[in-house]
Amino acid sequence: MGIIHINKVTYEYIRRDEENNVEGITTAVDGVSLAVEPGEFIAILGHNGSGKSTLAKHINAILYPSEGSVVVDGMDTKDEDALLKIRQTAGMVFQNPDNQIIGQIVEEDVGFGPENMGVPTKEIWERVEESLKAVGMYEYRSYSPNKLSGGQKQRVSIASVIAMHPKCIILDEPTAMLDPMGRREVIRAVRALNDVEKITMILITHYMEEVIYADRVFVMDKGKVAMSGTPKEIFSRVSELRELRLDVPQVTELAYELKRAGVPLPDGILTREELTEALKKIRMMGQ
Amino acid sequence: MMENMKLIADHLVYEYNKGTNQTVRALDDVSFVIHPGEFLGLIGHTGSGKSTLVQHLNALLRPDGGTIYYDGADVFEKSYDRKALRGKVGLVFQYPEHQLFEETVFKEVCFGPNNMGLDIKEVEQRAYAAIARVGLTEECLDQSPFDLSGGQKRRVAIASVLAMQPEILVLDEPTAGLDPKGRDELLSMIMDLRETEGISIVLVSHSMEDVAEYVDRIIVMDKGKILYDDTPKVVFAHAKELEAIGLSAPQVTYILQDLKSAGLDVDTTGITLAEARNTILEALHWKG
Ligand SMILES: Nc1ncnc2c1ncn2[C@@H]1O[C@H](COP(=O)(O)OP(=O)(O)OP(=O)(O)O)[C@@H](O)[C@H]1O
Ligand SMILES: Nc1ncnc2c1ncn2[C@@H]1O[C@H](COP(=O)(O)OP(=O)(O)O)[C@@H](O)[C@H]1O
Ligand SMILES: [Mg+2]
Ligand SMILES: [Mg+2]
C-alpha cells in the first residue's frame, strides 16, 4: 500500500488575457504516474522548467491535477474535506530560508503548526522539543530566526513541518541557497529523519551529490518522467543525463573520466570510499 | 600602477541597524582590488557579508568607513555620478527573480538600458542580444516573467543587467537553483564575456567546485572580514580552515587526499577535475 499515488497526472497552466480568453497553455506535468512506498527516500531531478515544483505542489494539494488523480495516504487531493489532513500528512519545505519562518523565536515558529491543528498546549511543547532535537536545533530554541545561518533556518523549517507529525515531507530545493556546511547539515537531517523516524522523503534538488543516498531517483524532462532507478543505475547513464541537462556527482564524473582514459573502473561509482577502494585494487593488479 | 586597478575597495566598514543595540558590523575593514578583465570569486558562509560587500561596488550602499575608487575616482564624493556607475558596475542581485516587475520578459530586459537614456533602437538591440546570450528563446519575449520557472526567471534577471553592457559584472550567487547544464552554460557565458569584451567579473558562489574551475583569484569572507585573498590553489590548500568557517575544498581535493592516505602517490594540490584525473593517471603509471 503506497503512501503517495500519482495517477496519470497532467497539469496545465492556463494564461488568459483581460477578457478572460485563453492566450496560451503550458503543460507543466504531462501524464506522470508514480507511486511512493512509506519510508522511502525519493529524489526528483530535472532541468529548469521540467515540472518538478508543479508536480510537488500536487502532493500537498496546493495544485490539483487537470487530468488524473493524486492520492495521499488514502485521501484524494480533490476531496476538499480532507485538505487539512492532507497538508498535515505531507508537509512541504521550500527553497528560500528567509520566507518560511514567521515566528519571532525559533520554538514559537515550530509551535505554530500544532497550535493551528488544535493540539493541546502541553503536547505542543513536547512536539516542539522533539522536532528541534530531530534536526539538531534544540540548543537554538530561544534564538531569533534572523540570528541563524541559512542551513540552521532550513532545519527550523523542517522542524516546523515535523511538529505536525507528517508521514511525508517534500523538500523543493531546500539547499539551493546554502553554503557547503548548511547543505551538509540539511541533508544529514533529511537522512536521519528518514532512517530513524521512517518519514517518507521527497527531495527535489539540482545538486547531484545530494541524491546518492536516495532509494529511488526520478528524472523529469518536459513534464514527463524520463528516467527512474536507483542512484547507481541513474548515475551510470552519464551521457543520457547530460542530454537531459543534468550531470553526475563530481566523484562519479572523475571515475567516468578515468574510465575513458582506459582505467578499468566499474560504472556508477558514487562515493569517495568506492573510488578509493576500486583504485587500490587496480593498482595492486598493475604491480 | 593605478591604471591597472579598475576598482579599489579601501578599508570598507558597514553596519546595519546603526544606533540601536542590535548593531551588526557586516563589513569590518575590507580592502581589495579588482583588475581589468579579472575573474574574481567571492566565497564565505551565509551572513559573512558577501551581499553587503557587492552592494558597495556600485554604490548602492554607502560605507560607514572607507571608500571605493572606480577608475581612480572616489565614488562617494558629492559630485560623483553614481547613476552612471550603476551602468558600469552591473550588479545581478541574489535571487534577482524576486525583483522582476514588468509585464513581459522583453520589457523587463529593456528597463535598464532605457533608464540609461539610450535611443529605443539601441535599447531593443541590446535587449535582444542579452536575451540570446543567456539562452532564452524568442518564445519567452512576450511572456510574463512571473509565468516562468525559477531558472528561467534567473536568466531574465541576468539579461536585464547584461543589456546595460557593464565593465564589471557582479553576480551574487547566480547559479543557485539552476540545473547543472544551466550552471555550466551561465559560467561559460561569463567566461566568454570576459574573453570577448574584456570585462571583469565578480562571482559570489557557494559552489567550491565552480569557483575552483573558473576564477583567477578568490576572496574568502568570514564574519565581515577578508580571511584570504589569493589564487584558488593557495586558498583551497587551507581545507581545514575553510571547513571551520562553513566552507570546504572542492570534492576532488578530498578524493586526492583519500588516495594519498591509501598510498597512491597523487598530487593533493589538485582542485579541478582535470588536475585530479591527470595526477591519478600519473600515479597509476597509466599510459592513456
Ligand atoms: N505560475 C505559473 N504560471 C504559468 N506557468 C507556470 C507557472 N509556474 C510554472 N510554470 C511553467 O510550468 C513549467 C514547469 O515549471 P516548474 O516550476 O514546475 O519547473 P521546475 O522543474 O520546478 O523548474 P526549476 O528547476 O526551475 O525550479 C515551466 O514551463 C514554467 O514556465
Ligand atoms: N537588511 C539588513 N538588515 C540588518 N542586518 C542585515 C541586513 N542584511 C544583512 N544583514 C546582516 O549583515 C551580515 C552580512 O549579511 P550578508 O551581506 O547578507 O551576508 P552573505 O551575503 O555573505 O550571506 C549578517 O549578519 C546579516 O544578518
Ligand atoms: Mg522548481
Ligand atoms: Mg548573500
Side-chain angles (χ1 to χ4, degrees):
Chain A
M1 185 51 206
I3 181 156
I4 294 163
H5 285 278
I6 295 174
N7 309 309
K8 302 199 184 106
V9 167
T10 293
Y11 185 83
E12 292 171 336
Y13 288 104
I14 297 173
R15 269 199 313 283
R16 293 177 189 275
D17 62 14
E18 288 92 69
E19 278 98 57
N20 219 26
N21 298 315
V22 174
E23 243 182 9
I25 295 179
T26 306
T27 306
V29 174
D30 190 0
V32 168
S33 292
L34 61 92
V36 179
E37 296 303 315
E40 265 195 301
F41 179 0
I42 298 289
I44 302 181
L45 303 176
H47 59 80
N48 291 131
S50 60
K52 304 178 297 296
S53 298
T54 305
L55 183 67
K57 286 176 188 156
H58 279 78
I59 302 175
N60 73 340
I62 297 174
L63 295 177
Y64 306 101
S66 311
E67 281 168 44
S69 67
V70 176
V71 179
V72 176
D73 202 21
M75 298 170 282
D76 191 311
T77 60
K78 275 192 178 140
D79 176 3
E80 280 175 35
D81 297 331
L83 185 66
L84 279 179
K85 191 85 180 61
I86 289 168
R87 298 241 166 110
Q88 223 167 285
T89 306
M92 200 143 173
V93 175
F94 297 94
Q95 190 181 79
N96 193 335
D98 290 315
N99 52 24
Q100 298 181 69
I101 302 182
I102 40 181
Q104 296 299 311
I105 55 169
V106 165
E107 57 189 355
E108 179 187 69
D109 190 80
V110 179
F112 276 142
E115 193 182 342
N116 287 340
M117 286 160 57
V119 172
T121 310
K122 181 165 166 292
E123 195 191 328
I124 293 178
W125 289 111
E126 287 165 10
R127 289 193 184 198
V128 168
E129 181 176 335
E130 88 197 359
S131 308
L132 283 170
K133 281 183 174 160
V135 297
M137 286 298 291
Y138 188 61
E139 301 164 59
Y140 296 89
R141 62 191 174 281
S142 49
Y143 274 56
S144 152
N146 60 30
K147 291 269 190 300
L148 302 178
S149 73
Q152 291 170 333
K153 284 181 201 162
Q154 283 301 59
R155 285 188 286 151
V156 171
S157 300
I158 295 173
S160 300
V161 171
I162 302 170
M164 295 195 276
H165 287 180
K167 294 187 179 166
C168 170
I169 303 180
I170 305 133
L171 305 108
D172 193 353
E173 296 190 50
T175 59
M177 297 179 169
L178 306 183
D179 56 40
M181 175 146 61
R183 287 206 300 268
R184 271 199 303 276
E185 290 169 351
V186 168
I187 294 301
R188 200 180 298 140
V190 168
R191 289 179 60 199
L193 289 167
N194 178 250
D195 275 351
V196 181
E197 313 284 337
K198 308 294 175 214
I199 300 176
T200 308
M201 291 288 176
I202 299 184
L203 173 69
I204 298 174
T205 183
H206 288 302
Y207 285 107
M208 302 298 124
E209 62 277 7
E210 291 178 357
V211 317
I212 61 176
Y213 302 105
D215 298 310
R216 282 191 296 156
V217 181
F218 292 91
V219 179
M220 292 194 64
D221 177 38
K222 302 193 190 81
K224 294 187 158 74
V225 173
M227 294 166 78
S228 65
T230 63
K232 208 173 207 50
E233 286 161 4
I234 295 289
F235 290 132
S236 298
R237 296 155 72 179
V238 180
S239 54
E240 263 172 279
L241 282 170
R242 291 198 173 142
E243 303 239 315
L244 297 172
R245 303 183 58 85
L246 301 181
D247 212 334
V248 295
Q250 209 177 23
V251 183
T252 312
E253 188 175 4
L254 178 58
Y256 177 77
E257 289 297 326
L258 291 170
K259 194 174 174 192
R260 288 211 323 176
V263 182
L265 286 165
D267 281 332
I269 284 186
L270 300 180
T271 64
R272 280 155 61 181
E273 293 74 21
E274 283 175 79
L275 181 61
T276 307
E277 279 314 304
L279 285 174
K280 267 184 4 199
K281 275 199 199 114
I282 287 165
R283 190 191 42 175
M284 270 160 41
M285 280 174 356
Q287 278 165 356
Chain B
M1 193 62 198
M2 276 298 265
E3 57 268 31
N4 192 24
M5 299 183 186
K6 193 74 195 153
L7 184 150
I8 302 172
D10 189 27
H11 298 286
L12 296 175
V13 174
Y14 187 84
E15 290 179 340
Y16 289 102
N17 308 325
K18 283 180 281 284
T20 72
N21 59 358
Q22 302 258 12
T23 306
V24 179
R25 182 165 281 218
L27 294 181
D28 193 0
D29 197 19
V30 169
S31 299
F32 64 94
V33 172
I34 302 175
H35 303 100
E38 183 171 42
F39 198 155
L40 190 62
L42 182 58
I43 62 177
H45 57 86
T46 54
S48 62
K50 306 180 296 297
S51 296
T52 306
L53 177 57
V54 297
Q55 291 174 73
H56 281 77
L57 302 182
N58 69 350
L60 272 183
L61 291 179
R62 176 178 280 274
D64 296 307
T67 194
I68 303 250
Y69 297 96
Y70 192 82
D71 283 336
D74 184 338
V75 309
F76 293 105
E77 286 268 287
K78 251 208 181 88
S79 59
Y80 192 88
D81 185 354
R82 281 179 288 277
K83 192 170 170 224
L85 180 72
R86 285 175 201 142
K88 291 184 203 157
V89 181
L91 173 59
V92 177
F93 278 94
Q94 193 166 4
Y95 330 137
E97 54 274 24
H98 298 170
Q99 296 176 16
L100 301 175
F101 62 95
E102 292 281 5
E103 282 157 55
T104 69
V105 168
F106 188 65
K107 283 189 191 165
E108 186 72 53
V109 178
C110 287
F111 181 82
N114 226 337
N115 235 6
M116 295 167 75
L118 301 168
D119 71 74
I120 183 74
K121 234 182 115 204
E122 170 79 14
V123 168
E124 295 193 343
Q125 264 171 12
R126 285 183 175 204
Y128 281 119
I131 285 168
R133 192 124 217 183
V134 298
L136 287 167
T137 55
E138 299 258 325
E139 295 156 33
C140 286
L141 291 176
D142 296 322
Q143 261 179 288
S144 158
F146 302 99
D147 289 352
L148 302 175
S149 80
Q152 292 165 326
K153 284 182 191 158
R154 179 74 46 83
R155 287 163 211 242
V156 173
I158 293 172
S160 55
V161 171
L162 279 185
M164 294 194 284
Q165 300 186 347
E167 295 173 340
I168 300 184
L169 178 63
V170 184
L171 303 116
D172 195 351
E173 295 184 35
T175 56
L178 292 188
D179 58 44
K181 184 79 180 287
R183 293 203 285 260
D184 288 349
E185 285 171 351
L186 179 67
L187 293 168
S188 338
M189 175 200 85
I190 293 167
M191 281 299 262
D192 189 53
L193 270 174
R194 174 174 89 142
E195 251 128 61
T196 54
E197 331 269 324
I199 67 177
S200 316
I201 312 283
V202 179
L203 174 73
V204 180
S205 178
H206 281 318
S207 168
M208 304 300 119
E209 290 75 26
D210 287 347
V211 171
E213 197 73 44
Y214 287 95
V215 311
D216 304 322
R217 211 176 97 214
I218 298 178
I219 291 179
V220 182
M221 300 275 301
D222 175 35
K223 300 197 193 93
K225 290 185 190 296
I226 292 184
L227 183 63
Y228 300 112
D229 177 351
D230 219 315
T231 60
K233 264 216 180 343
V234 173
V235 168
F236 287 129
H238 297 279
K240 282 273 166 320
E241 290 87 347
L242 292 173
E243 285 162 32
I245 59 165
L247 304 176
S248 72
Q251 293 170 52
V252 290
T253 306
Y254 293 108
I255 298 172
L256 293 175
Q257 286 170 1
D258 285 355
L259 292 174
K260 183 102 186 172
S261 314
L264 219 68
D265 187 23
V266 291
D267 175 5
T268 56
T269 67
I271 55 172
T272 66
L273 198 90
E275 286 168 351
R277 171 189 176 276
N278 293 341
T279 182
I280 293 171
L281 290 178
E282 257 174 53
L284 290 172
H285 305 292
W286 210 269
K287 316 274 184 296

